[in-house]
Amino acid sequence: MMGKMLRFSLFGESHGKALGVLVEGVPPGIKVDIGKMKAELERRRGIERFSTKRKEKDEPVILSGVFNGFTTGSPIAVIIENRDVDSSYYEKIKNTPRPGHGDYTAGIRYFGFNDYRGGGFFSGRLTAGMVIAGYFAKEILSKAGIGVKAYIKSIGNVKAKDLSVEEIFSSKLCPDEEAFQKMLEEMERARNEGDSVGGVVEVIAINVPPGIGGPYDEDLEGELAKAFFAIPAVKGVEFGLGFRIAELRGSEANDSFVIKDGKIMTKTNNCGGILGGISNGMPIVARIAFKPVPSIYKPQRTVDVVRMEEIEIKLTGRFDSCIVPKALPVVEAMMAFVLADHLLRWLGWKGFMSLGKR
């Protein structure tokens, strides 16, 4: 994930010795709370009965960039060891790409040299590195009073009602308890049938100052969308009203400007807090659609790429039946990272503009 002021890169594989993240551009002097970082990683486990039976402690080990409990300003490297690994099953199916996975395309792209065990570098397990990068980004944003929160908007056809900012930030998984219970039932049905189910995560950022972002290659929506699409299993992203805005007239879609408590705001937030690729001071709202987990226990059709024949495959590994609950900290991390990068850029300009006023 390459920003301009803040960057991170992932490394490792699902069944390799370890996975990790290298974060560059984090300012010095930020206090590092390893317990808080671990709590973010713990959220990534999701709801136990709908998650993989693979049990990893996800214990982060900081190798560089932190000294005496504070960031130093140098690159931060953090690793997580893989311990509960069983690759035997993947040896059996290495020539039969799983439908819906990146097995086939990865084999083509890397000429068969890719690590196919558990999806290798393509595995959702590497989102642990995203969460760690997001931890540092959130600490940067907290200095400016910016908060980021994600919740489950829908599972399958079960949708949560529209919610207030206060309800969203006070929730753990979904503020709409009635809808959430139906979501759990939907996930349970999929699990009992040996199938999987997808859903939508809504994420909101509050207290983002106006002026962050830019046109074209600095477009805030564009960079957020790219970050969200980098999350495995994401198939759709929308901001504000999203696709619904195409059904409206301009007179309905436009957000009227108003003054409240001495600040310029908009009466509605159909644009999702971004205009012209730049934040307008309103909450930034996005929704991210996750496809159903492709690894299911029902028989599926695939091919044997060596024998070049069509076959039926029935998977027997350790899989999630729904990844949406465990995606919440990942979505937050990616939004936080992009916003933190743009905040640091904006603060540089702000500092420069103040030079002539001294």
Side-chain angles (χ1 to χ4, degrees):
M1 180 71 193
M2 300 301 290
K4 290 188 177 180
M5 295 290 289
L6 198 61
R7 302 165 298 280
F8 80 82
S9 55
L10 304 174
F11 58 88
E13 294 85 23
S14 177
H15 286 210
K17 186 174 182 179
L19 56 90
V21 61
L22 178 68
V23 188
E24 301 175 273
V26 177
I30 293 177
K31 185 174 177 59
V32 177
D33 185 337
I34 197 71
K36 193 173 177 181
M37 184 187 296
K38 289 170 66 174
E40 288 290 281
L41 289 167
E42 184 66 25
R43 291 176 63 208
R44 201 188 67 89
R45 295 180 184 275
I47 302 172
E48 185 175 2
R49 70 178 185 272
F50 304 120
S51 299
T52 172
K53 297 301 182 284
R54 178 177 175 178
K55 302 301 179 186
E56 296 282 3
K57 290 186 177 181
D58 287 349
E59 189 75 34
V61 178
I62 299 174
L63 302 181
S64 67
V66 176
F67 182 64
N68 287 335
F70 291 87
T71 57
T72 64
S74 63
I76 300 170
V78 185
I79 64 168
I80 294 175
E81 290 188 64
N82 293 319
R83 298 184 181 277
D84 185 18
V85 175
D86 180 4
S87 304
S88 58
Y89 178 67
Y90 293 97
E91 295 295 336
K92 298 176 183 178
I93 63 169
K94 62 181 180 181
N95 296 327
T96 53
R98 296 166 294 172
H101 273 280
D103 297 348
Y104 173 70
T105 50
I108 297 295
R109 172 66 175 81
Y110 297 104
F111 303 94
F113 287 96
N114 58 295
D115 185 345
Y116 49 79
R117 301 170 302 169
F121 187 66
F122 292 81
S123 170
R125 177 146 174 73
L126 272 81
T127 59
M130 294 179 175
V131 171
I132 292 171
Y135 163 79
F136 289 103
K138 286 181 177 180
E139 291 300 304
I140 293 171
L141 294 180
S142 69
K143 299 287 186 181
I146 298 172
V148 178
K149 181 68 175 179
Y151 72 97
I152 303 172
K153 184 66 177 177
S154 68
I155 296 292
N157 292 320
V158 182
K159 296 180 176 62
K161 64 184 179 182
D162 291 337
L163 301 154
S164 68
V165 171
E166 292 74 21
E167 287 175 314
I168 291 169
F169 272 81
S170 64
S171 167
K172 183 177 181 181
L173 293 172
C174 178
D176 186 344
E177 186 59 34
E178 183 179 348
F180 183 57
Q181 291 305 314
K182 293 178 181 178
M183 292 176 189
L184 292 174
E185 293 171 6
E186 182 67 15
M187 288 187 275
E188 190 68 45
R189 278 192 292 272
R191 186 176 75 94
N192 291 339
E193 294 169 6
D195 216 330
S196 62
V197 65
V200 174
V201 170
E202 183 167 281
V203 63
I204 181 171
I206 58 172
N207 301 327
V208 179
I212 289 180
Y216 310 115
D217 65 332
E218 287 195 314
D219 187 295
L220 192 55
E221 282 175 317
E223 295 203 1
L224 281 169
K226 181 179 180 181
F228 292 142
F229 275 119
I231 303 171
V234 169
K235 300 302 290 184
V237 174
E238 63 178 15
F239 296 88
L241 282 186
F243 280 89
R244 287 186 293 162
I245 207 166
E247 303 169 3
L248 305 179
R249 297 289 181 91
S251 56
E252 299 171 304
N254 291 343
D255 297 307
S256 300
F257 288 102
V258 297
I259 296 176
K260 185 176 181 181
D261 299 327
K263 295 182 179 180
I264 296 176
M265 306 176 71
T266 57
K267 189 174 182 179
T268 53
N269 194 22
N270 296 334
C271 68
I274 301 173
L275 289 170
I278 302 170
S279 62
N280 68 357
M282 295 294 287
I284 296 177
V285 182
R287 282 173 296 282
I288 299 90
F290 286 83
K291 70 179 183 179
V293 177
S295 287
I296 59 177
Y297 296 104
K298 289 188 172 185
Q300 300 180 85
R301 299 298 301 177
T302 186
V303 297
D304 186 312
V305 297
V306 174
R307 298 179 180 178
M308 287 301 291
E309 61 183 29
E310 296 182 10
I311 64 168
E312 183 177 86
I313 187 172
K314 192 173 187 302
L315 304 179
T316 59
R318 301 178 293 181
F319 314 122
D320 300 274
S321 56
C322 184
I323 61 167
V324 177
K326 66 195 311 181
L328 299 182
V330 184
V331 170
E332 289 178 7
M334 296 307 271
M335 174 176 260
F337 203 86
V338 172
L339 292 180
D341 175 49
H342 276 274
L343 177 67
L344 292 174
R345 300 186 211 177
W346 181 75
L347 288 174
W349 281 40
K350 187 179 180 181
F352 174 78
M353 295 301 291
S354 68
L355 289 178
K357 299 178 182 179
R358 295 178 179 176

